[in-house]
Amino acid sequence: MGVQIGLGGIILVSISEITVTEILIILSLIFFLYAFVYPQSQLKKIKMQRLSMIKRMERMWGTKVLTMIHRKEAISMLGVPVYQYIDVEDAEQVLRAIRETGDRPIDIIMHTPGGQMHASIQIARALNNHKEKVRIMIPHYCMSGGTIIALAADEIVMDPDAVIGPIDPQVGDFIRGTYPAPSWIYAAEKKGMDADDTTIIMSDISKKAMELTKDVIMELLENKIQDEEKRKSVAQKLLSGEMIHVTPISAKEAIELGLPVSTELPSEVHDFMKFFRSAKMSVEYIE
């Protein structure tokens, strides 16, 4: 590649003398910067904005603010959004945060499709054991395992249009698929002696999972709903399979069910959610 010394000692390169190999190297460098460096810098910027907002909310409310947000974001490695859900890593982080909170009340902003049952139960029990008030704030949706966690709160604060969902366990495998526990039980009872071994085994696991989940619901609601029959009614509604697993339960329906729900969601929660860039930008409007 030819090099020339121009005015002021500036090094000039003749474009015509750049080889194909050098062009490929330059393009690879540009791709690397665009695919790795730029997204990471943007993520760091947005994370700093989120942390700043969390500190602001803590000062305003006098609480320890935690967030559990599972959604596909536009900025990710190679632009491919990653599916997120409640898992053991979330449980580790939330339990650590609860221990470090001490005697302060806790506010949790949740936006999740759900996730692993054991992780959800572990988080819920830790929150239920916290001595000070726990509020869970739901700006959009908090389904499945997220609903289990919400039941641990002294107060569930939902946007009027936000939803929670049923918490019937999902049982299955990679080969046969994952289905609601009540459906496995129904299939085994329907087939009777004609049921295959796998269906019988899944039905047995489903019954145990249902019993576990019922016990957890009763445990979490013990101090929120005094009447035991009412607690059993709530457990039956959320667990029995009378609703499909993705059924949205509105704030109004949750209140009618007897859950400690209010709809006075602070505007700061919606402001906080603006710091998450959706992977799908098909809706546009002027603010």
Side-chain angles (χ1 to χ4, degrees), residues 9-285:
I10 299 175
I11 298 179
L12 302 176
V13 179
S14 175
I15 296 178
S16 61
E17 298 178 5
I18 298 179
T19 66
V20 174
T21 301
E22 291 166 336
I23 291 174
L24 291 176
I25 292 173
I26 293 172
L27 291 176
S28 299
L29 179 60
I30 293 173
F31 173 79
F32 175 80
L33 293 173
Y34 177 77
F36 295 92
V37 178
Y38 176 71
Q40 292 304 310
S41 66
Q42 290 295 99
L43 281 174
K44 184 175 181 180
K45 177 183 176 181
I46 292 175
K47 184 175 181 179
M48 294 303 295
Q49 292 173 322
R50 292 173 186 166
L51 293 176
S52 177
M53 187 68 186
I54 289 174
K55 290 180 181 178
R56 177 185 167 194
M57 290 187 289
E58 287 186 338
R59 289 194 300 267
M60 291 178 60
W61 303 335
T63 64
K64 177 69 174 179
V65 176
L66 312 178
T67 68
M68 186 183 295
I69 312 296
H70 296 132
R71 61 178 297 171
K72 296 178 181 179
E73 286 198 80
I75 302 174
S76 57
M77 191 63 68
L78 297 178
V80 179
V82 179
Y83 181 77
Q84 297 180 322
Y85 56 88
I86 301 169
D87 57 19
V88 292
E89 283 74 22
D90 289 324
E92 291 173 5
Q93 294 176 44
V94 172
L95 266 60
R96 186 182 307 116
I98 294 172
R99 286 194 298 269
E100 295 174 355
T101 297
D103 295 332
R104 296 169 62 188
I106 293 177
D107 285 325
I108 302 185
I109 300 173
M110 289 195 65
H111 178 78
T112 179
Q116 297 173 354
M117 176 183 286
H118 62 281
S120 301
I121 292 175
Q122 189 176 19
I123 294 171
R125 283 176 167 165
L127 290 171
N128 195 49
N129 292 333
H130 188 63
K131 295 180 179 180
E132 297 298 324
K133 182 177 180 179
V134 174
R135 290 193 305 176
I136 288 184
M137 304 185 182
I138 306 173
H140 300 297
Y141 70 95
C142 181
M143 306 294 284
S144 191
T147 301
I148 292 178
I149 296 172
L151 295 181
D154 298 295
E155 182 182 12
I156 305 170
V157 188
M158 300 173 63
D159 180 90
D161 296 315
V163 297
I164 57 175
I167 53 179
D168 47 319
Q170 304 298 291
V171 178
D173 53 40
F174 291 108
I175 298 176
R176 295 171 66 95
T178 301
Y179 303 99
S183 297
W184 281 112
I185 297 171
Y186 172 79
E189 292 176 348
K190 189 74 173 178
K191 288 188 174 182
M193 297 300 295
D194 294 330
D196 58 45
D197 290 347
T198 301
T199 301
I200 295 173
I201 291 171
M202 290 298 181
S203 175
D204 180 61
I205 293 172
S206 295
K207 290 178 181 178
K208 294 172 182 175
M210 294 274 285
E211 192 64 30
L212 168 63
T213 309
K214 178 182 177 181
D215 290 344
V216 170
I217 295 173
M218 297 294 286
E219 172 189 337
L220 297 176
L221 294 180
E222 184 175 3
N223 296 324
K224 289 92 176 179
I225 301 176
Q226 300 301 320
D227 184 79
E228 184 178 0
E229 291 304 315
K230 183 63 175 177
R231 292 199 302 274
K232 289 181 179 179
S233 175
V234 173
Q236 175 71 13
K237 184 71 174 180
L238 296 176
L239 178 63
S240 65
E242 64 178 82
M243 299 181 287
I244 61 173
H245 193 63
V246 295
T247 300
I249 300 173
S250 68
K252 180 181 178 182
E253 292 170 326
I255 293 172
E256 293 173 351
L257 195 58
L259 297 178
V261 171
S262 72
T263 54
E264 301 298 322
L265 187 72
S267 60
E268 289 79 12
V269 176
H270 284 299
D271 291 338
F272 176 77
M273 293 300 295
K274 292 179 181 178
F275 293 118
F276 293 84
R277 295 179 56 180
S278 176
K280 181 180 178 183
M281 301 294 290
S282 57
V283 177
E284 295 179 334
Y285 61 93

